[in-house]
Amino acid sequence: MQSSKSSLTALTLGALGVVYGDIGTSVLYAFKEVFVSGHVPLTHDNILGVLSMFFWALTLIVSLKYVALIMRADNHGEGGLMALLALASLSIHDNPRLRSVLLVVGVFGVALFFGDGVITPAISVLSAVEGLEVVTPAAKRVVVPLSLVVLFLLFVFQRRGTGDIGKFFGPVMVLWFLGIGVLGAVQVAGNPSVLAAVFPWHALRFAMAHPGLAFITLGAVFLCLTGAEALYADMGHFGKEPIRIAWFGLVMPCLVLNYFGQGALVLAEPETVANPFFMLAPDWAQLPLVALATAATVIASQALISGAFSATKQTIQLGFLPRLSILHTSIHDTGQIYIPAVNWALLAGVVMAVTFFGSSTALAAAYGISVSLVMVITTLMTFFVLRYGWGYPLLLCIAATGFFLVMDLLFFASNSLKIVQGGWFPLAMAAVLYVIMSTWKEGRALLNASLRQDALKLQDFLDSVFLSPPTRVDGTAVFLTAEPGIVPNALLHNLKHNKVLHRQNLFVTVRNHEVPWIGLDKRLEVEPLGHDCWQVIVHYGFKNDPDLPSALAQLRGHGCDVDPMNTSYFLSRDIIIPTMGAGMASWREKLFAQMHHNASGAADFLHLPNNAVVELGSKIEI
């Protein structure tokens, strides 16, 4: 019992450090962005109306939508848009047309997540460092350079992994939430009238008195919700209960106190609206607060970067991206990975965002559009899970998701007004990434179709070979092939040039599935082909870590003893030749060919030993 309590405490602390960094640091800029443009007059009723909008946005979207509803739609304990996409697509597997549409929408949502991955570190760190301007106005000229230095160091240290510093995330974020809660509570105690904002009629009165202004304001209010997706995305790491305890026990009360404290301060001193968060602190505490805010934003950025690595790996295994070099930064936790290509691409995008926009206020115009659209997609997918996966009545499903969908669409529509001011930036990045992912998925389908059309049947080929068998040599040969039942080019090259065949031959196909985990009891599918040859299909979920030698070690129970010291791996690397009229535009065919050429080999991705032999395959037209 004591051990269970300790585990729950540790998981709750971990959730505070990883899950709530983004939404926890939104207090730095969200309230300020409502009034900084000058469109919303600083009146008592307007401030109460805006505070009420903040409170009910957090209550309805985070507490009810994510914590109460969407966290119930777990994919074998896993959450996140990729897990929800897999769950929703499996729910409608008998409707191919609807399933393909849903996959397109879901993949675009994943692309939007990566667009958000560029904006979040930029706006978070910039808003923290901008606190120096409150300490001394002379610091304004060093805000951008200093922010770039902090971000550069953050990305450089990604190679070391999060294991060594991750244990400090939770305590730092506890200190952060307690600090912002106390700062807000002091101001609320001085002007407790702001507590009336918990009543929704203040938000409704503001909306009815200024409907156009309230609609525009929704785009800024939405900034307090950025990071809400992390509650669902990181559910598999910490579980539902720790995330819920952290939210209701610490995070939401402290956020509400801080937002209300900023409102109370602006009511008393309207000139503090330029940066009300840092103005909450007394002069002696402002510099330490800047340091703590910078640490909190680095943690928030770290969590998102780590999430981008995990999402990339899952996207690769689901077949929407080519194989990339993936480095494991921990010998204990397979989830701690580092993907150099993603790391440096994110850094390039973050540097571009910081230098182009130059301030958190300017970046706020770019922030929110992609996240709000992801929330729309999440709600839509939840409907399909409820209706077709769990079989709930149609009216109940519409009632459960329709209300949240209307709110999501309102937030998205309001954020769409900011597309010209900067919202185009994450949308453009998401569009580019979507083209890349869809091109790779479609190109692989065309490639596999071409392979099947020209390939020899494996069983017939082996029967003919063993009519006059070649010399057999000791050991096991593992031939990797994209499609089971066909002759791999590496085998043809081996017979042609070496004129020998190993004592045991395994023809292995790796299949990735739309479920997070596949257990060891379902890892292998084995079919004997005779003459000490076997067709082997290895199954992985998108959260499994592909390790082919470890998987093949289980063949001992199938009459095939694989000795790791006497096993050779053969895989072919085919050359793609773009052709006209193959099913994709010519520029997409060339893009796919280049991606195929640059993709990391299966040897690295499947943890094959260094003696794996890569044979040059055929020239394949698509």
Side-chain angles (χ1 to χ4, degrees):
M1 185 69 177
Q2 186 65 34
S3 175
S4 177
K5 288 183 178 179
S6 299
S7 176
L8 180 60
T9 301
L11 288 171
T12 303
L13 188 63
L16 283 168
V18 175
V19 177
Y20 292 109
D22 192 1
I23 198 170
T25 54
S26 61
V27 294
L28 289 164
Y29 48 81
F31 184 80
K32 175 184 71 173
E33 294 306 321
V34 174
F35 297 99
V36 74
S37 65
H39 293 142
V40 182
L42 288 175
T43 66
H44 181 273
D45 288 348
N46 286 352
I47 290 176
L48 282 186
V50 169
L51 289 177
S52 187
M53 292 171 72
F54 272 84
F55 177 79
W56 285 101
L58 291 170
T59 300
L60 295 175
I61 299 299
V62 183
S63 298
L64 290 183
K65 176 185 172 182
Y66 280 96
V67 175
L69 175 63
I70 292 183
M71 285 181 66
R72 298 170 65 90
D74 64 289
N75 192 338
H76 299 275
E78 293 293 328
L81 190 57
M82 188 62 69
L84 188 61
L85 167 61
L87 194 62
S89 62
L90 286 174
S91 301
I92 53 172
H93 62 89
D94 56 346
N95 190 333
R97 181 174 298 180
L98 180 59
R99 185 171 182 268
S100 62
V101 172
L102 205 59
L103 283 171
V104 168
V105 174
V107 170
F108 185 66
V110 175
L112 288 167
F113 166 79
F114 286 101
D116 178 49
V118 170
I119 302 296
T120 295
I123 191 172
S124 298
V125 173
L126 258 178
S127 59
V129 177
E130 283 173 350
L132 291 174
E133 297 179 31
V134 177
V135 179
T136 170
K140 183 177 178 63
R141 57 188 177 85
V142 302
V143 166
V144 169
L146 186 56
S147 298
L148 289 174
V149 169
V150 171
L151 289 164
F152 179 77
L153 292 175
L154 171 64
F155 281 93
V156 166
F157 278 97
Q158 291 303 309
R159 190 179 187 88
R160 298 179 178 269
T162 59
D164 293 337
I165 57 176
K167 56 188 176 184
F168 298 110
F169 284 6
V172 171
M173 292 309 295
V174 168
L175 180 61
W176 168 256
F177 283 115
L178 290 176
I180 65 175
V182 169
L183 289 174
V186 170
Q187 295 296 328
V188 171
N191 188 357
S193 65
V194 294
L195 293 175
V198 299
F199 298 112
W201 53 74
H202 289 285
L204 294 174
R205 183 172 59 184
F206 174 71
M208 289 187 291
H210 314 282
L213 191 59
F215 177 70
I216 296 172
T217 302
L218 281 176
V221 172
F222 182 79
L223 295 175
C224 78
L225 301 174
T226 54
E229 284 279 333
L231 277 75
Y232 179 57
D234 291 314
M235 183 172 59
H237 295 289
F238 303 102
K240 300 175 184 178
E241 189 175 2
I243 291 176
R244 286 169 174 161
I245 290 173
W247 173 251
F248 290 113
L250 182 66
V251 177
M252 184 176 179
C254 291
L255 289 176
V256 171
L257 277 174
N258 193 268
Y259 284 125
F260 280 26
Q262 292 186 49
L265 177 64
V266 173
L267 276 174
E269 304 174 44
E271 66 277 6
T272 61
V273 74
N275 203 327
F277 174 80
F278 286 103
M279 292 292 188
L280 288 173
D283 293 343
W284 61 267
Q286 286 178 353
L287 195 57
L289 184 59
V290 171
L292 180 59
T294 303
T297 54
V298 166
I299 290 173
S301 302
Q302 173 63 66
L304 191 140
I305 295 167
S306 299
F309 292 158
S310 298
T312 300
K313 180 187 173 186
Q314 296 172 19
T315 306
I316 291 171
Q317 290 183 225
L318 284 175
F320 288 99
L321 281 177
R323 289 187 294 265
L324 300 173
S325 176
I326 298 177
L327 306 178
H328 289 260
T329 59
S330 171
I331 60 174
H332 303 293
D333 185 0
T334 59
Q336 291 187 25
I337 58 175
Y338 168 70
I339 306 180
V342 175
N343 187 66
W344 301 123
L346 283 176
L347 176 59
V350 169
V351 170
M352 192 186 313
V354 171
T355 53
F356 182 81
F357 291 97
S359 70
S360 61
T361 296
L363 265 171
Y367 203 31
I369 181 70
S370 59
V371 185
S372 60
L373 192 50
V374 168
M375 287 187 175
V376 172
I377 293 171
T378 299
T379 304
L380 288 172
M381 288 191 179
T382 303
F383 169 81
F384 286 101
V385 173
L386 293 175
R387 176 68 180 129
Y388 299 102
W390 297 349
Y392 284 116
L394 178 60
L395 290 179
L396 179 61
C397 296
I398 293 175
T401 59
F403 173 73
F404 297 116
L405 181 61
V406 170
M407 293 194 65
D408 291 337
L409 290 172
L410 280 173
F411 279 122
F412 172 66
S414 180
N415 278 291
S416 298
L417 300 176
K418 302 188 293 185
I419 289 179
V420 177
Q421 286 78 20
W424 58 268
F425 185 76
L427 291 179
M429 289 188 294
V432 170
L433 188 56
Y434 174 77
V435 168
I436 291 173
M437 290 195 293
S438 60
T439 297
W440 181 257
K441 186 72 171 179
E442 188 174 347
R444 289 297 301 177
L446 291 172
L447 176 61
N448 290 336
S450 179
L451 286 172
R452 286 192 299 269
Q453 180 179 352
D454 300 329
L456 302 172
K457 291 185 177 180
L458 179 59
Q459 186 66 69
D460 295 343
F461 179 79
L462 291 176
D463 291 341
S464 64
V465 165
F466 284 107
L467 291 175
S468 179
T471 302
R472 307 291 290 267
V473 297
D474 290 336
T476 300
V478 177
F479 296 95
L480 271 76
T481 175
E483 292 287 330
I486 65 174
V487 179
N489 287 324
L491 173 62
L492 297 175
H493 282 269
N494 191 45
L495 288 173
K496 178 180 179 181
H497 297 294
N498 300 323
K499 297 179 173 57
V500 297
L501 202 61
H502 285 71
R503 188 70 58 193
Q504 294 185 134
N505 295 276
L506 307 178
F507 302 94
V508 179
T509 298
V510 175
R511 287 269 174 84
N512 294 288
H513 298 272
E514 296 174 348
V515 294
W517 304 101
I518 290 181
L520 293 177
D521 58 327
K522 299 179 181 178
R523 178 76 74 229
L524 297 180
E525 186 179 334
V526 184
E527 177 186 354
L529 301 175
H531 311 287
D532 291 323
C533 298
W534 287 268
Q535 175 75 67
V536 181
I537 300 178
V538 185
H539 299 280
Y540 290 108
F542 59 78
K543 293 281 286 185
N544 286 124
D545 186 29
D547 189 335
L548 195 57
S550 296
L552 295 181
Q554 300 178 55
L555 284 171
R556 293 192 181 105
H558 297 270
C560 178
D561 189 5
V562 179
D563 180 5
M565 302 301 295
N566 200 19
T567 300
S568 301
Y569 293 85
F570 297 87
L571 52 154
S572 59
R573 188 170 181 86
D574 300 307
I575 300 173
I576 306 301
I577 302 175
T579 59
M580 295 298 293
M584 290 195 298
S586 59
W587 65 269
R588 292 184 70 200
E589 293 173 10
K590 294 176 181 177
L591 173 62
F592 173 74
Q594 188 63 43
M595 292 166 66
H596 188 276
H597 177 74
N598 293 336
S600 296
D604 291 334
F605 193 76
L606 297 174
H607 294 181
L608 300 187
N610 293 329
N611 66 342
V613 177
V614 180
E615 299 279 357
L616 185 64
S618 305
K619 294 183 178 180
I620 300 176
E621 294 184 353
I622 62 167

